[in-house]
Amino acid sequence: MAISIVQSNKNNATSASASVTLGNTPTNGNLLVFLVSSASATAISSPGASWTASTGIATGSGSSARAQRVFWKVVNGDGATVTSTVGSNYWAAELYELSPGTGYSWDTPADTDQANASGTYTTPSVTPTASKIAFVICDVMVRGSSTFSAQKVN
C-alpha cells in the first residue's frame, strides 16, 4: 500500500479569490487537499459544499493579519480548478491530488483541527476502517509561510 501524490500545483496573487488549477482532471476516488493562506484577517471560505474544512485561523490586523485553512474531499467528478474566497490581500494556495493505492479507499473523518497560537497541539484520535486509509494533515503557518505534510495512519 502506497499513498502517492498524483499531481499538485500552487499559485499566489493579490486578489479576492484564491485559485489553483491542476494539469489534469483528478481521478474519481482520489483525495484533493487544498491549502490556502492569506495576508488578511478575513476568514477563508470553502470551495464548495462537498468539501470538508479545518476550523481555520483568521487573526490579527494590519501587517500582522493572516488567515489559513485546509480543505479536503474525495474526488467525484470534480474539475481541475479549485477556488476559494479570501480577503483582498496577498494569498498563496496549494492543491494536491493523492491516490490511496490499489485496493484501498479514503476514510475521511470529520475535522480534528488542533489549531492554536501557542505552538502546541494535542494528538487527535483517528481510527481507520478496514481497507480504508485514514489521513492526518498537518499545515503549519509561521508568519505567512506554510508547510504541508500528510501521512497515512496504520
Side-chain angles (χ1 to χ4, degrees), residues 93-111:
E94 299 175 43
L95 179 60
Y96 295 85
E97 179 185 0
L98 306 175
S99 171
T102 304
Y104 292 90
S105 61
W106 296 102
D107 196 357
T108 53
D111 173 30

PDB file of all heavy atoms in Angstrom, residues 93-111:
ATOM      1  N   ALA A  93      -1.735  29.499  -2.305  1.00  0.00           N
ATOM      2  CA  ALA A  93      -2.535  28.278  -2.194  1.00  0.00           C
ATOM      3  C   ALA A  93      -1.825  27.121  -2.874  1.00  0.00           C
ATOM      4  O   ALA A  93      -1.054  27.310  -3.813  1.00  0.00           O
ATOM      5  CB  ALA A  93      -3.916  28.487  -2.802  1.00  0.00           C
ATOM      6  N   GLU A  94      -2.086  25.919  -2.367  1.00  0.00           N
ATOM      7  CA  GLU A  94      -1.544  24.689  -2.932  1.00  0.00           C
ATOM      8  C   GLU A  94      -2.686  23.688  -3.081  1.00  0.00           C
ATOM      9  O   GLU A  94      -3.572  23.633  -2.241  1.00  0.00           O
ATOM     10  CB  GLU A  94      -0.467  24.100  -2.024  1.00  0.00           C
ATOM     11  CG  GLU A  94       0.717  25.010  -1.812  1.00  0.00           C
ATOM     12  CD  GLU A  94       1.713  24.444  -0.808  1.00  0.00           C
ATOM     13  OE1 GLU A  94       2.005  23.234  -0.872  1.00  0.00           O
ATOM     14  OE2 GLU A  94       2.180  25.212   0.041  1.00  0.00           O
ATOM     15  N   LEU A  95      -2.638  22.893  -4.147  1.00  0.00           N
ATOM     16  CA  LEU A  95      -3.652  21.871  -4.400  1.00  0.00           C
ATOM     17  C   LEU A  95      -2.948  20.557  -4.704  1.00  0.00           C
ATOM     18  O   LEU A  95      -2.045  20.510  -5.541  1.00  0.00           O
ATOM     19  CB  LEU A  95      -4.539  22.290  -5.580  1.00  0.00           C
ATOM     20  CG  LEU A  95      -5.647  21.336  -6.009  1.00  0.00           C
ATOM     21  CD1 LEU A  95      -6.637  21.080  -4.873  1.00  0.00           C
ATOM     22  CD2 LEU A  95      -6.380  21.896  -7.232  1.00  0.00           C
ATOM     23  N   TYR A  96      -3.336  19.504  -3.988  1.00  0.00           N
ATOM     24  CA  TYR A  96      -2.738  18.176  -4.152  1.00  0.00           C
ATOM     25  C   TYR A  96      -3.818  17.170  -4.505  1.00  0.00           C
ATOM     26  O   TYR A  96      -4.909  17.204  -3.935  1.00  0.00           O
ATOM     27  CB  TYR A  96      -2.076  17.711  -2.846  1.00  0.00           C
ATOM     28  CG  TYR A  96      -0.905  18.539  -2.420  1.00  0.00           C
ATOM     29  CD1 TYR A  96      -1.080  19.700  -1.679  1.00  0.00           C
ATOM     30  CD2 TYR A  96       0.397  18.161  -2.758  1.00  0.00           C
ATOM     31  CE1 TYR A  96       0.003  20.471  -1.283  1.00  0.00           C
ATOM     32  CE2 TYR A  96       1.475  18.925  -2.360  1.00  0.00           C
ATOM     33  CZ  TYR A  96       1.271  20.073  -1.626  1.00  0.00           C
ATOM     34  OH  TYR A  96       2.348  20.836  -1.242  1.00  0.00           O
ATOM     35  N   GLU A  97      -3.498  16.247  -5.415  1.00  0.00           N
ATOM     36  CA  GLU A  97      -4.334  15.074  -5.653  1.00  0.00           C
ATOM     37  C   GLU A  97      -3.550  13.873  -5.160  1.00  0.00           C
ATOM     38  O   GLU A  97      -2.435  13.620  -5.603  1.00  0.00           O
ATOM     39  CB  GLU A  97      -4.652  14.897  -7.139  1.00  0.00           C
ATOM     40  CG  GLU A  97      -5.511  13.653  -7.390  1.00  0.00           C
ATOM     41  CD  GLU A  97      -5.752  13.349  -8.859  1.00  0.00           C
ATOM     42  OE1 GLU A  97      -5.260  14.102  -9.734  1.00  0.00           O
ATOM     43  OE2 GLU A  97      -6.424  12.338  -9.133  1.00  0.00           O
ATOM     44  N   LEU A  98      -4.129  13.144  -4.203  1.00  0.00           N
ATOM     45  CA  LEU A  98      -3.469  11.988  -3.602  1.00  0.00           C
ATOM     46  C   LEU A  98      -4.212  10.711  -3.955  1.00  0.00           C
ATOM     47  O   LEU A  98      -5.441  10.671  -3.932  1.00  0.00           O
ATOM     48  CB  LEU A  98      -3.424  12.128  -2.072  1.00  0.00           C
ATOM     49  CG  LEU A  98      -2.813  13.411  -1.510  1.00  0.00           C
ATOM     50  CD1 LEU A  98      -2.953  13.441  -0.002  1.00  0.00           C
ATOM     51  CD2 LEU A  98      -1.358  13.528  -1.903  1.00  0.00           C
ATOM     52  N   SER A  99      -3.461   9.652  -4.256  1.00  0.00           N
ATOM     53  CA  SER A  99      -4.037   8.341  -4.540  1.00  0.00           C
ATOM     54  C   SER A  99      -3.820   7.425  -3.336  1.00  0.00           C
ATOM     55  O   SER A  99      -2.722   7.385  -2.785  1.00  0.00           O
ATOM     56  CB  SER A  99      -3.372   7.727  -5.773  1.00  0.00           C
ATOM     57  OG  SER A  99      -3.782   6.381  -5.920  1.00  0.00           O
ATOM     58  N   PRO A 100      -4.856   6.664  -2.919  1.00  0.00           N
ATOM     59  CA  PRO A 100      -4.690   5.779  -1.770  1.00  0.00           C
ATOM     60  C   PRO A 100      -3.972   4.476  -2.111  1.00  0.00           C
ATOM     61  O   PRO A 100      -3.605   3.719  -1.230  1.00  0.00           O
ATOM     62  CB  PRO A 100      -6.131   5.489  -1.338  1.00  0.00           C
ATOM     63  CG  PRO A 100      -6.900   5.549  -2.618  1.00  0.00           C
ATOM     64  CD  PRO A 100      -6.223   6.635  -3.438  1.00  0.00           C
ATOM     65  N   GLY A 101      -3.762   4.188  -3.387  1.00  0.00           N
ATOM     66  CA  GLY A 101      -3.137   2.930  -3.793  1.00  0.00           C
ATOM     67  C   GLY A 101      -4.185   1.903  -4.181  1.00  0.00           C
ATOM     68  O   GLY A 101      -5.351   1.984  -3.783  1.00  0.00           O
ATOM     69  N   THR A 102      -3.795   0.907  -4.950  1.00  0.00           N
ATOM     70  CA  THR A 102      -4.697  -0.110  -5.464  1.00  0.00           C
ATOM     71  C   THR A 102      -5.353  -0.898  -4.332  1.00  0.00           C
ATOM     72  O   THR A 102      -4.677  -1.369  -3.421  1.00  0.00           O
ATOM     73  CB  THR A 102      -3.923  -1.080  -6.380  1.00  0.00           C
ATOM     74  OG1 THR A 102      -3.299  -0.314  -7.414  1.00  0.00           O
ATOM     75  CG2 THR A 102      -4.855  -2.111  -6.997  1.00  0.00           C
ATOM     76  N   GLY A 103      -6.667  -1.038  -4.391  1.00  0.00           N
ATOM     77  CA  GLY A 103      -7.411  -1.830  -3.414  1.00  0.00           C
ATOM     78  C   GLY A 103      -7.794  -1.077  -2.159  1.00  0.00           C
ATOM     79  O   GLY A 103      -8.384  -1.657  -1.247  1.00  0.00           O
ATOM     80  N   TYR A 104      -7.484   0.208  -2.085  1.00  0.00           N
ATOM     81  CA  TYR A 104      -7.799   1.000  -0.893  1.00  0.00           C
ATOM     82  C   TYR A 104      -8.638   2.206  -1.265  1.00  0.00           C
ATOM     83  O   TYR A 104      -8.666   2.646  -2.407  1.00  0.00           O
ATOM     84  CB  TYR A 104      -6.514   1.473  -0.196  1.00  0.00           C
ATOM     85  CG  TYR A 104      -5.736   0.336   0.418  1.00  0.00           C
ATOM     86  CD1 TYR A 104      -4.772  -0.335  -0.320  1.00  0.00           C
ATOM     87  CD2 TYR A 104      -5.984  -0.076   1.714  1.00  0.00           C
ATOM     88  CE1 TYR A 104      -4.066  -1.389   0.229  1.00  0.00           C
ATOM     89  CE2 TYR A 104      -5.286  -1.127   2.271  1.00  0.00           C
ATOM     90  CZ  TYR A 104      -4.327  -1.785   1.521  1.00  0.00           C
ATOM     91  OH  TYR A 104      -3.639  -2.825   2.065  1.00  0.00           O
ATOM     92  N   SER A 105      -9.325   2.749  -0.285  1.00  0.00           N
ATOM     93  CA  SER A 105     -10.063   3.995  -0.462  1.00  0.00           C
ATOM     94  C   SER A 105      -9.803   4.869   0.756  1.00  0.00           C
ATOM     95  O   SER A 105      -9.191   4.432   1.726  1.00  0.00           O
ATOM     96  CB  SER A 105     -11.563   3.720  -0.637  1.00  0.00           C
ATOM     97  OG  SER A 105     -12.070   3.070   0.505  1.00  0.00           O
ATOM     98  N   TRP A 106     -10.272   6.101   0.703  1.00  0.00           N
ATOM     99  CA  TRP A 106     -10.014   7.058   1.782  1.00  0.00           C
ATOM    100  C   TRP A 106     -11.063   6.957   2.869  1.00  0.00           C
ATOM    101  O   TRP A 106     -12.239   6.829   2.600  1.00  0.00           O
ATOM    102  CB  TRP A 106      -9.994   8.482   1.228  1.00  0.00           C
ATOM    103  CG  TRP A 106      -8.880   8.697   0.273  1.00  0.00           C
ATOM    104  CD1 TRP A 106      -8.971   8.729  -1.095  1.00  0.00           C
ATOM    105  CD2 TRP A 106      -7.506   8.862   0.581  1.00  0.00           C
ATOM    106  NE1 TRP A 106      -7.737   8.917  -1.638  1.00  0.00           N
ATOM    107  CE2 TRP A 106      -6.807   9.005  -0.633  1.00  0.00           C
ATOM    108  CE3 TRP A 106      -6.775   8.916   1.770  1.00  0.00           C
ATOM    109  CZ2 TRP A 106      -5.433   9.198  -0.706  1.00  0.00           C
ATOM    110  CZ3 TRP A 106      -5.404   9.105   1.703  1.00  0.00           C
ATOM    111  CH2 TRP A 106      -4.758   9.236   0.485  1.00  0.00           C
ATOM    112  N   ASP A 107     -10.629   7.024   4.092  1.00  0.00           N
ATOM    113  CA  ASP A 107     -11.514   7.132   5.249  1.00  0.00           C
ATOM    114  C   ASP A 107     -11.413   8.588   5.668  1.00  0.00           C
ATOM    115  O   ASP A 107     -10.358   9.041   6.107  1.00  0.00           O
ATOM    116  CB  ASP A 107     -11.028   6.215   6.374  1.00  0.00           C
ATOM    117  CG  ASP A 107     -12.090   5.985   7.425  1.00  0.00           C
ATOM    118  OD1 ASP A 107     -13.171   6.573   7.329  1.00  0.00           O
ATOM    119  OD2 ASP A 107     -11.824   5.219   8.365  1.00  0.00           O
ATOM    120  N   THR A 108     -12.462   9.373   5.461  1.00  0.00           N
ATOM    121  CA  THR A 108     -12.376  10.809   5.687  1.00  0.00           C
ATOM    122  C   THR A 108     -13.111  11.210   6.966  1.00  0.00           C
ATOM    123  O   THR A 108     -14.307  11.465   6.949  1.00  0.00           O
ATOM    124  CB  THR A 108     -12.944  11.584   4.491  1.00  0.00           C
ATOM    125  OG1 THR A 108     -14.260  11.096   4.212  1.00  0.00           O
ATOM    126  CG2 THR A 108     -12.087  11.379   3.255  1.00  0.00           C
ATOM    127  N   PRO A 109     -12.392  11.242   8.072  1.00  0.00           N
ATOM    128  CA  PRO A 109     -13.022  11.621   9.337  1.00  0.00           C
ATOM    129  C   PRO A 109     -13.357  13.106   9.362  1.00  0.00           C
ATOM    130  O   PRO A 109     -12.850  13.882   8.554  1.00  0.00           O
ATOM    131  CB  PRO A 109     -11.947  11.298  10.371  1.00  0.00           C
ATOM    132  CG  PRO A 109     -10.660  11.409   9.617  1.00  0.00           C
ATOM    133  CD  PRO A 109     -10.972  10.979   8.215  1.00  0.00           C
ATOM    134  N   ALA A 110     -14.193  13.482  10.301  1.00  0.00           N
ATOM    135  CA  ALA A 110     -14.530  14.888  10.476  1.00  0.00           C
ATOM    136  C   ALA A 110     -13.287  15.662  10.913  1.00  0.00           C
ATOM    137  O   ALA A 110     -12.285  15.080  11.327  1.00  0.00           O
ATOM    138  CB  ALA A 110     -15.624  15.020  11.533  1.00  0.00           C
ATOM    139  N   ASP A 111     -13.379  16.960  10.848  1.00  0.00           N
ATOM    140  CA  ASP A 111     -12.271  17.837  11.218  1.00  0.00           C
ATOM    141  C   ASP A 111     -11.845  17.576  12.656  1.00  0.00           C
ATOM    142  O   ASP A 111     -12.642  17.566  13.574  1.00  0.00           O
ATOM    143  CB  ASP A 111     -12.724  19.290  11.063  1.00  0.00           C
ATOM    144  CG  ASP A 111     -11.706  20.283  11.576  1.00  0.00           C
ATOM    145  OD1 ASP A 111     -10.499  19.969  11.528  1.00  0.00           O
ATOM    146  OD2 ASP A 111     -12.118  21.362  12.007  1.00  0.00           O
TER     147      ASP A 111
END
